[in-house]
Amino acid sequence: MNKTAFSMPPNLNPDQASPDWMNKGDNAWQLTAATLVGLQSIPGLLILYGGSVKKKWAVNSAFMVLYAFACVILCWAAWGYRFSFGDKMIPFWGKPNFALDGHYLMEQTFLGKFPNATMVYFQGVFAAITLVLIAGALLGRMNFYAWMLFVPLWLTFSYTITAFSIWCPDGFLAKMGIIDYSGGYVIHLSSGVAGFTAAYWVGPRLTQDRQRFPPNNILLMLFGAGLLWIGWTGFNGGDPYVVSVDASLAVINTHICTAASLLTWLLLDIVFFRKPSVIGAVQGMITGLVCITPAAGVVQGWAAVIMGICSGSIPWFTMMVIHKRSEMFQKVDDTMAVLHTHAIAGSLGGILSGIFAVPKLNRLFYGTSGHYIGLFYGLADKRTHDGFRQIGVQLVGVVFVVVLNIVSTSIICVVVQIFMPLRMSEEEMEIGDEAAHGEEAYAIW
């Protein structure tokens, strides 16, 4: 009997452009997922912010997003990536180095079967959206020149520390076994706390702007919100770094939780305010996206529904009830309510991850079961100690991110203030875009 030697199809044979360690499917999906995340910022949040604010702030709000995205991408490749994912320098920071050398960019990345170039891009758009989210708390009054300085400083001295600590295998929280599937801590809790802290230092908008700040284009805002929601497919679906069943689970859980959260927020608005608010629905959508992020690929579908109900109700309560009754919250002018939609929803998602994370799914994602087990399954499997330990680790992560961002953001704001005012002048705030940029969003001649 003749035996025919097995040979790979020609298009799958390794060559210099496709080395044997690279999986073409994984690389293609990772580049696609990164692009979906990039679209969440440009144009997603750019037009969401631009449509959500008063007409006189549409250009300034959109431009803060555009600048932040460009600045972060360049700084990320120049030094941010290696600070976040390079060789360990200290337990919460990597050694500084460039990610610009062609040889380094074509080598296999630290996780996944694709090159460093793909990972730098993927993680770069994550870093960029974090700064874009911070901008949401500062719309309508921050000096644009101060924002230009704030962005690279915060990326370097806050984001990279959190990213290394939680996501890099050598990070101290990663070694403790924290569950943060796709950035509930690194991106959302960080941006929510940093945005609220920066808003304190920058100061509030003009009184008339705080009292009445109607969206200039709700349909444009909804278009941006839609890009944000659908773009989250790449946000959570790309984090296994492989085309896998876990990536598929992360995607469907993302949409399930988001839908449940939006509907919960909508029902609360109807019950208590007697009107279905589209702006409220968008807030509920965002809190659902944020809440599922740290848990997306490690929880069951039914848990995603529960998380959606929680993210549609608890941030609603903190925003609509506690915020209005709290003197501290009233003093700080958080324009887009990032404290509630990102910090509270992100920490809520992190804690619920510690309750509902499934050992088998953790093993698929992390490659080991280790201590990764939600309290619910710890009690069911008689691993009570491990379940409570996981909750403890999740809470340690919350405290670390909150303290780091209050301290680092405050120091950065104080330093920036030495060189230029953080806030526009009263005259500039009265006029808006025309004073800040010499341009208007809707100039009809």
Side-chain angles (χ1 to χ4, degrees):
M1 189 171 81
N2 293 329
K3 292 184 179 181
T4 304
F6 175 78
S7 61
M8 294 285 287
N11 65 312
L12 295 180
N13 284 330
D15 55 33
Q16 284 188 321
S18 298
D20 55 6
W21 50 258
M22 190 178 82
N23 184 301
K24 292 184 178 183
D26 292 347
N27 194 39
W29 166 239
Q30 211 63 37
L31 289 168
T32 303
T35 302
L36 286 170
V37 177
L39 287 170
Q40 291 181 291
S41 294
I42 308 293
L45 284 166
L46 183 150
I47 58 178
L48 189 151
Y49 289 173
S52 298
V53 297
K54 262 186 173 179
K55 184 176 76 169
K56 69 175 184 176
W57 291 117
V59 171
N60 179 260
S61 301
F63 199 9
M64 286 180 75
V65 175
L66 187 65
Y67 166 77
F69 191 86
C71 182
V72 170
I73 292 298
L74 183 60
C75 295
W76 185 252
W79 65 80
Y81 177 78
R82 299 293 282 272
F83 265 135
S84 303
F85 296 99
D87 297 330
K88 183 172 76 170
M89 180 171 64
I90 50 180
F92 52 83
W93 227 5
K95 294 178 181 178
N97 209 332
F98 296 113
L100 294 167
D101 177 72
H103 179 72
Y104 173 79
L105 290 173
M106 289 191 292
E107 290 179 345
Q108 185 174 4
T109 190
F110 67 98
L111 285 174
K113 297 177 181 179
F114 47 83
N116 280 321
T118 301
M119 185 66 88
V120 172
Y121 175 39
F122 182 75
Q123 292 295 341
V125 290
F126 269 61
I129 201 172
T130 310
L131 268 300
V132 168
L133 294 172
I134 292 173
L138 307 169
L139 303 180
R141 82 280 198 184
M142 187 172 190
N143 178 4
F144 193 82
Y145 298 106
W147 177 242
M148 291 178 71
L149 189 55
F150 177 90
V151 169
L153 288 174
W154 192 88
L155 172 74
T156 304
F157 297 106
S158 185
Y159 183 86
T160 59
I161 295 172
T162 311
F164 186 91
S165 300
I166 292 176
W167 277 344
C168 184
D170 288 328
F172 80 99
L173 284 169
K175 288 184 175 181
M176 287 176 64
I178 192 169
I179 296 173
D180 187 11
Y181 189 90
S182 195
Y185 290 98
V186 177
I187 295 171
H188 300 293
L189 180 55
S190 290
S191 62
V193 174
F196 192 76
T197 304
Y200 166 80
W201 287 101
V202 173
R205 289 165 287 174
L206 294 176
T207 302
Q208 60 264 34
D209 281 352
R210 288 196 76 180
Q211 291 174 344
R212 179 163 172 74
F213 204 68
N216 70 85
N217 192 324
I218 287 183
L219 292 181
L220 197 64
M221 179 194 77
L222 286 172
F223 181 48
L227 284 170
L228 194 65
W229 184 345
I230 299 304
W232 226 280
T233 297
F235 199 104
N236 288 344
D239 262 295
Y241 305 141
V242 61
V243 181
S244 66
V245 293
D246 193 44
S248 298
L249 179 66
V251 170
I252 191 60
N253 278 345
T254 297
H255 297 295
I256 289 171
C257 180
T258 303
S261 183
L262 186 154
L263 296 174
T264 301
W265 195 293
L266 176 62
L267 289 173
L268 288 170
D269 276 351
I270 292 171
V271 170
F272 288 94
F273 302 121
R274 306 300 179 189
K275 284 190 178 180
S277 166
V278 68
I279 297 174
V282 170
Q283 300 282 34
M285 178 204 84
I286 292 172
T287 56
L289 291 166
V290 170
C291 184
I292 194 61
T293 292
V298 296
V299 298
Q300 302 277 17
W302 58 263
V305 174
I306 294 173
M307 293 180 72
I309 294 170
C310 291
S311 64
S313 55
I314 294 174
W316 182 93
F317 182 76
T318 63
M319 186 187 300
M320 299 301 180
V321 180
I322 296 176
H323 185 98
K324 294 178 180 179
R325 296 178 181 176
S326 168
E327 193 174 321
M328 181 193 75
F329 284 154
Q330 289 297 316
K331 284 182 179 178
V332 180
D333 182 14
D334 178 358
T335 309
M336 299 297 290
V338 296
L339 176 73
H340 303 283
T341 56
H342 293 277
I344 291 172
S347 55
L348 175 65
I351 293 167
L352 291 174
S353 300
I355 295 174
F356 293 123
V358 183
K360 177 183 176 181
L361 298 176
N362 282 318
R363 191 161 55 250
L364 288 177
F365 181 61
Y366 291 104
T368 175
S369 54
H371 292 290
Y372 300 106
I373 183 170
L375 178 60
F376 182 85
Y377 292 91
L379 295 174
D381 296 347
K382 296 182 181 180
R383 293 174 57 189
T384 306
H385 176 267
D386 288 340
F388 278 107
R389 181 189 180 279
Q390 190 66 60
I391 290 289
V393 172
Q394 301 302 109
L395 291 173
V396 168
V398 171
V399 173
F400 171 76
V401 175
V402 169
V403 172
L404 170 67
N405 281 279
I406 290 174
V407 173
S408 62
T409 306
S410 296
I411 292 172
I412 290 167
C413 286
V414 170
V415 170
V416 171
Q417 212 163 24
I418 295 171
F419 299 96
M420 64 191 69
L422 289 170
R423 177 184 171 82
M424 294 182 187
S425 67
E426 297 288 315
E427 294 77 15
E428 288 175 316
M429 289 192 288
E430 285 282 358
I431 299 168
D433 289 337
E434 181 66 33
H437 305 286
E439 297 163 325
E440 295 180 21
Y442 307 105
I444 301 174
W445 304 99

